[in-house]
Amino acid sequence: MVLGNLFFCFFFYSFWGWFYESTLCSLLGESRLFNRGFLLGPYCPIYGVGVLICRLALQGCDNVYIIFFVSAVLCCALEYVTSFGMEKLFHAKWWDYSDMPFHLHGRVCLYGGIIFGTANVLIHFFIHPALMWAMSTVDTRLLNGIVFCLSVAMVVD
């Protein structure tokens, strides 16, 4: 995968992760639209990183059960490490699953693992192939320009 495509995928999945989480939290816990991101923009980098880690680790695998299980474990490990690091670095908690069943120190929970595994199965078989096809129809210079602008926006954010 070309580096520009990799970064575009990162931004794409970061945006959809932010959309999923902000929408879910707004519908379930808030009476207003709630930005769940660490940054101000409409993206959660942890989702982009999580999908790319799973895509790279499971490249060439087409077993639904392996994709589900490995994705769930990898994403929960990423979420745990990110939560721990952000708490130590910023002395704040961005999420807490202590009230959920089967949680680990409130940083990850079984529900999240199931969501991550399911999402990555859908991404692996449906979303990512469609995204790669769509990116192949766009001029490389335009795609790189979009990636550059998004990168600058995230760095400034």
Side-chain angles (χ1 to χ4, degrees), residues 59-90:
Q59 204 166 27
C61 178
D62 284 330
N63 184 309
V64 173
Y65 301 108
I66 292 173
I67 293 168
F68 176 87
F69 181 75
V70 171
S71 295
V73 170
L74 288 174
C75 289
C76 283
L78 174 64
E79 186 176 36
Y80 190 93
V81 168
T82 301
S83 173
F84 183 83
M86 288 178 76
E87 286 177 32
K88 296 301 177 193
L89 190 62
F90 299 108

Side-chain angles (χ1 to χ4, degrees), residues 18-35:
W18 170 86
F19 181 79
Y20 154 76
E21 193 162 316
S22 295
T23 301
L24 184 69
C25 290
S26 296
L27 292 175
L28 296 180
E30 301 288 325
S31 58
R32 61 181 172 79
L33 185 60
F34 189 71
N35 181 2

Side-chain angles (χ1 to χ4, degrees), residues 40-61:
L40 298 175
Y43 34 74
C44 287
I46 191 170
Y47 286 97
V49 171
V51 170
L52 292 180
I53 286 172
C54 292
R55 291 290 310 149
L56 294 172
L58 295 164
Q59 204 166 27
C61 178

Side-chain angles (χ1 to χ4, degrees), residues 89-105:
L89 190 62
F90 299 108
H91 306 290
K93 276 189 157 189
W94 267 263
W95 60 86
D96 186 2
Y97 300 120
S98 295
D99 60 338
M100 302 288 284
F102 306 106
H103 68 87
L104 182 60
H105 305 125

Side-chain angles (χ1 to χ4, degrees), residues 111-122:
Y111 169 76
I114 292 169
I115 295 293
F116 296 144
T118 303
N120 274 289
V121 167
L122 294 173

